[in-house]
Short mmCIF file of all heavy atoms in Angstrom, two decimals:
data_model
loop_
_atom_site.label_atom_id
_atom_site.label_comp_id
_atom_site.label_asym_id
_atom_site.label_seq_id
_atom_site.Cartn_x
_atom_site.Cartn_y
_atom_site.Cartn_z
N MET A 182 -136.02 91.66 -128.60
CA MET A 182 -137.40 91.38 -128.66
C MET A 182 -137.80 91.03 -127.31
O MET A 182 -138.32 91.27 -126.54
CB MET A 182 -137.60 90.13 -129.43
CG MET A 182 -137.83 88.92 -128.62
SD MET A 182 -138.55 87.78 -129.53
CE MET A 182 -139.39 86.79 -128.74
N VAL A 183 -136.83 90.43 -127.53
CA VAL A 183 -137.23 89.56 -126.76
C VAL A 183 -138.37 88.94 -127.32
O VAL A 183 -138.86 89.29 -128.17
CB VAL A 183 -137.73 89.94 -125.55
CG1 VAL A 183 -137.52 89.11 -124.61
CG2 VAL A 183 -138.02 91.28 -125.55
N ARG A 184 -138.31 89.47 -126.06
CA ARG A 184 -139.16 88.58 -126.32
C ARG A 184 -140.47 88.81 -125.81
O ARG A 184 -140.75 89.52 -125.45
CB ARG A 184 -139.00 87.37 -125.65
CG ARG A 184 -138.13 86.99 -125.36
CD ARG A 184 -137.36 87.27 -125.40
NE ARG A 184 -136.58 87.91 -125.36
CZ ARG A 184 -136.15 88.64 -125.48
NH1 ARG A 184 -136.60 88.80 -125.70
NH2 ARG A 184 -135.34 89.19 -125.43
N ALA A 304 -139.01 100.37 -134.31
CA ALA A 304 -138.43 99.03 -134.45
C ALA A 304 -136.93 99.16 -134.25
O ALA A 304 -136.35 100.20 -134.56
CB ALA A 304 -138.73 98.45 -135.82
N HIS A 305 -136.31 98.12 -133.75
CA HIS A 305 -134.87 98.23 -133.51
C HIS A 305 -134.07 97.60 -134.65
O HIS A 305 -134.47 96.60 -135.23
CB HIS A 305 -134.47 97.65 -132.15
CG HIS A 305 -134.70 96.19 -131.95
ND1 HIS A 305 -133.76 95.24 -132.29
CD2 HIS A 305 -135.74 95.49 -131.44
CE1 HIS A 305 -134.20 94.04 -131.97
NE2 HIS A 305 -135.41 94.16 -131.46
N ASP A 307 -130.65 96.81 -134.36
CA ASP A 307 -129.57 95.91 -133.92
C ASP A 307 -130.10 94.48 -133.79
O ASP A 307 -131.32 94.25 -133.71
CB ASP A 307 -128.98 96.38 -132.58
CG ASP A 307 -130.00 96.40 -131.45
OD1 ASP A 307 -131.16 96.84 -131.70
OD2 ASP A 307 -129.69 95.98 -130.33
N VAL A 308 -129.17 93.54 -133.81
CA VAL A 308 -129.54 92.12 -133.67
C VAL A 308 -128.63 91.47 -132.63
O VAL A 308 -127.57 92.01 -132.31
CB VAL A 308 -129.43 91.35 -135.01
CG1 VAL A 308 -130.39 91.91 -136.03
CG2 VAL A 308 -127.99 91.36 -135.54
N VAL A 309 -129.04 90.31 -132.15
CA VAL A 309 -128.16 89.55 -131.26
C VAL A 309 -127.16 88.75 -132.09
O VAL A 309 -127.35 88.53 -133.29
CB VAL A 309 -128.94 88.59 -130.32
CG1 VAL A 309 -129.80 89.38 -129.36
CG2 VAL A 309 -129.77 87.60 -131.11
N ILE A 336 -136.60 88.08 -138.52
CA ILE A 336 -137.81 88.31 -137.73
C ILE A 336 -137.55 89.47 -136.76
O ILE A 336 -138.23 90.49 -136.81
CB ILE A 336 -138.23 87.04 -136.94
CG1 ILE A 336 -138.65 85.92 -137.92
CG2 ILE A 336 -139.37 87.37 -135.98
CD1 ILE A 336 -139.03 84.61 -137.24
N ASP A 337 -136.58 89.29 -135.89
CA ASP A 337 -136.32 90.22 -134.78
C ASP A 337 -135.13 91.10 -135.07
O ASP A 337 -134.01 90.68 -134.90
CB ASP A 337 -136.08 89.40 -133.51
CG ASP A 337 -135.85 90.25 -132.28
OD1 ASP A 337 -136.20 91.43 -132.30
OD2 ASP A 337 -135.29 89.73 -131.31
N ASP A 338 -135.28 92.37 -135.47
CA ASP A 338 -136.58 93.02 -135.57
C ASP A 338 -136.65 93.73 -136.91
O ASP A 338 -137.43 94.65 -137.09
CB ASP A 338 -136.71 94.00 -134.39
CG ASP A 338 -138.09 94.61 -134.23
OD1 ASP A 338 -139.09 93.96 -134.59
OD2 ASP A 338 -138.16 95.75 -133.79
N LYS A 339 -135.79 93.26 -137.85
CA LYS A 339 -135.71 93.96 -139.13
C LYS A 339 -136.98 93.76 -139.96
O LYS A 339 -137.31 94.60 -140.81
CB LYS A 339 -134.45 93.52 -139.88
CG LYS A 339 -133.20 94.10 -139.20
CD LYS A 339 -131.88 93.64 -139.77
CE LYS A 339 -130.73 94.43 -139.12
NZ LYS A 339 -129.41 93.91 -139.49
N MET A 341 -139.81 94.18 -138.76
CA MET A 341 -140.65 95.32 -138.33
C MET A 341 -140.10 96.63 -138.88
O MET A 341 -140.87 97.53 -139.22
CB MET A 341 -140.70 95.37 -136.79
CG MET A 341 -141.54 94.28 -136.19
SD MET A 341 -143.32 94.52 -136.46
CE MET A 341 -143.66 95.80 -135.25
N GLU A 371 -131.11 98.00 -128.77
CA GLU A 371 -132.24 97.47 -128.01
C GLU A 371 -131.86 96.20 -127.27
O GLU A 371 -132.26 95.97 -126.14
CB GLU A 371 -133.43 97.20 -128.94
CG GLU A 371 -134.74 96.88 -128.21
CD GLU A 371 -134.95 95.41 -127.88
OE1 GLU A 371 -134.25 94.55 -128.46
OE2 GLU A 371 -135.81 95.12 -127.04
N GLU A 372 -131.04 95.39 -127.94
CA GLU A 372 -130.75 94.07 -127.38
C GLU A 372 -129.87 94.14 -126.13
O GLU A 372 -129.88 93.24 -125.30
CB GLU A 372 -130.09 93.17 -128.43
CG GLU A 372 -130.97 92.88 -129.66
CD GLU A 372 -132.16 91.98 -129.35
OE1 GLU A 372 -132.33 91.57 -128.18
OE2 GLU A 372 -132.92 91.70 -130.29
N ASN A 397 -144.93 98.74 -131.69
CA ASN A 397 -143.59 98.20 -131.48
C ASN A 397 -143.68 96.68 -131.63
O ASN A 397 -144.76 96.11 -131.81
CB ASN A 397 -143.13 98.59 -130.06
CG ASN A 397 -141.66 98.30 -129.79
OD1 ASN A 397 -140.90 97.97 -130.71
ND2 ASN A 397 -141.26 98.44 -128.54
N GLU A 398 -142.53 96.02 -131.51
CA GLU A 398 -142.53 94.56 -131.47
C GLU A 398 -143.17 94.11 -130.16
O GLU A 398 -143.53 94.92 -129.33
CB GLU A 398 -141.09 94.06 -131.53
CG GLU A 398 -140.27 94.47 -130.31
CD GLU A 398 -138.86 93.92 -130.33
OE1 GLU A 398 -138.57 93.01 -131.11
OE2 GLU A 398 -138.04 94.41 -129.55
N GLY A 399 -143.25 92.80 -129.97
CA GLY A 399 -143.75 92.30 -128.69
C GLY A 399 -145.05 91.53 -128.81
O GLY A 399 -145.40 90.75 -127.92
N ALA A 611 -139.00 91.67 -121.80
CA ALA A 611 -139.05 93.13 -121.81
C ALA A 611 -138.89 93.67 -123.21
O ALA A 611 -138.18 93.11 -124.03
CB ALA A 611 -137.95 93.68 -120.91
N THR A 612 -139.55 94.79 -123.52
CA THR A 612 -139.36 95.53 -124.77
C THR A 612 -139.15 97.00 -124.43
O THR A 612 -139.23 97.39 -123.25
CB THR A 612 -140.58 95.42 -125.72
OG1 THR A 612 -141.66 96.19 -125.18
CG2 THR A 612 -141.02 93.98 -125.93
N ARG A 628 -146.49 92.19 -133.88
CA ARG A 628 -145.68 91.79 -135.03
C ARG A 628 -146.66 91.07 -135.96
O ARG A 628 -147.01 89.92 -135.72
CB ARG A 628 -144.55 90.86 -134.60
CG ARG A 628 -143.57 90.56 -135.74
CD ARG A 628 -142.51 89.54 -135.35
NE ARG A 628 -141.71 89.94 -134.21
CZ ARG A 628 -140.74 90.86 -134.25
NH1 ARG A 628 -140.44 91.45 -135.37
NH2 ARG A 628 -140.07 91.15 -133.16
N VAL A 640 -135.88 82.75 -133.08
CA VAL A 640 -135.51 84.12 -132.74
C VAL A 640 -134.48 84.08 -131.62
O VAL A 640 -134.66 83.37 -130.62
CB VAL A 640 -136.76 84.91 -132.31
CG1 VAL A 640 -136.37 86.27 -131.73
CG2 VAL A 640 -137.71 85.08 -133.49
N HIS A 641 -133.39 84.78 -131.79
CA HIS A 641 -132.24 84.75 -130.87
C HIS A 641 -131.55 83.40 -130.92
O HIS A 641 -130.61 83.16 -130.15
CB HIS A 641 -132.61 85.09 -129.41
CG HIS A 641 -132.92 86.54 -129.19
ND1 HIS A 641 -132.56 87.21 -128.05
CD2 HIS A 641 -133.55 87.45 -129.96
CE1 HIS A 641 -132.96 88.47 -128.12
NE2 HIS A 641 -133.57 88.63 -129.28
ZN1 ZN B 872 -136.46 92.51 -130.74
#
Side-chain angles (χ1 to χ4, degrees):
M182 101 160 207
V183 212
R184 330 2 42 316
H305 64 88
D307 61 318
V308 297
V309 295
I336 295 178
D337 182 19
D338 189 29
K339 289 175 173 172
M341 287 288 283
E371 190 271 344
E372 298 290 0
N397 190 9
E398 65 177 346
T612 71
R628 188 185 302 285
V640 170
H641 287 217

